[in-house]
Amino acid sequence: MPAIVGPVAINSVGGGVINFGDSFYISPKSASKTSAGSGALNTGNFVITNNGLSATNTIDPDINDQDIVANN
C-alpha cells in the first residue's frame, strides 16, 4: 500500500539506509552501544535542555546485548 510522506528534515547522515514509504523486510546489519548523560543525545532544530545533577551508569554485566548471527 502506498505511503504518504510529509516534510522531511535530515540534519546529518552517518551511514545506513533511509527508507521512505513501505518496507517489506528490514533487519539490522550491525549493533553498537552508546552511553550518554541526560539530554546529551537530543536532536532537533531548536533544543533546550535544563538538567540538574546527572549520572550515567555504564556498568554492563551481560556479555552479549544484541546478537546478529547469519544476517548478511
Side-chain angles (χ1 to χ4, degrees), residues 31-35 56-67:
S32 63
K33 180 180 284 188
T34 303
S35 297
T56 302
N57 184 6
T58 58
I59 299 171
D60 187 16
D62 57 349
I63 297 171
N64 295 331
D65 291 326
Q66 181 177 0
D67 294 333

Side-chain angles (χ1 to χ4, degrees), residues 17-53:
V17 177
I18 299 173
N19 291 315
F20 296 102
D22 299 334
S23 299
F24 175 69
Y25 182 74
I26 299 175
S27 62
K29 304 298 181 196
S30 65
S32 63
K33 180 180 284 188
T34 303
S35 297
S38 125
L41 298 177
N42 289 336
T43 58
N45 293 331
F46 303 103
V47 177
I48 299 173
T49 57
N50 297 314
N51 298 322
L53 183 63

